[in-house]
Amino acid sequence: MSISDQTVKSLQTIDANARQQFDLVQKVGATAEFSPLVKAARGEYVDLDELKISVIRAMGIMCSRLKNLMNGGTRNKLLEAIEGLESEILIP
């Protein structure tokens, strides 16, 4: 197989994997939900309230994955942080 054929095949594989991952993200509905978090990570401007919602959601997911007994301290800190973000008005 020539180098150009190998390159085309590799690019097709990468494209297929990217499409599959994008489809999974869309099925979960995470694209819109975490978009502000992704934009902020890229250094783009994001409305602080939108970012706050994305961060709360991400922290909630992490908290839900932690086992209560083994990660009690971390889980409690995450819950406190979520409550704080939910209850406070953030000023840029």
Side-chain angles (χ1 to χ4, degrees), residues 49-89:
D49 288 326
E50 291 177 13
L51 180 59
K52 180 171 113 170
I53 292 167
S54 291
V55 170
I56 289 170
R57 178 71 177 126
M59 291 170 69
I61 291 169
M62 185 173 180
C63 188
S64 71
R65 300 299 191 271
L66 295 175
K67 295 185 181 194
N68 288 338
L69 296 176
M70 295 179 70
N71 301 299
T74 302
R75 194 167 191 281
N76 289 339
K77 295 283 186 191
L78 280 170
L79 290 172
E80 287 175 23
I82 291 169
E83 288 175 13
L85 283 171
E86 288 175 335
S87 65
E88 292 186 27
I89 297 172

Side-chain angles (χ1 to χ4, degrees), residues 4-25:
S4 62
D5 289 340
Q6 290 174 350
T7 302
V8 168
K9 195 165 198 93
S10 294
L11 288 173
Q12 288 172 338
T13 302
I14 291 169
D15 183 55
N17 288 340
R19 287 178 192 268
Q20 183 181 22
Q21 289 176 359
F22 183 70
D23 288 343
L24 288 173
V25 168

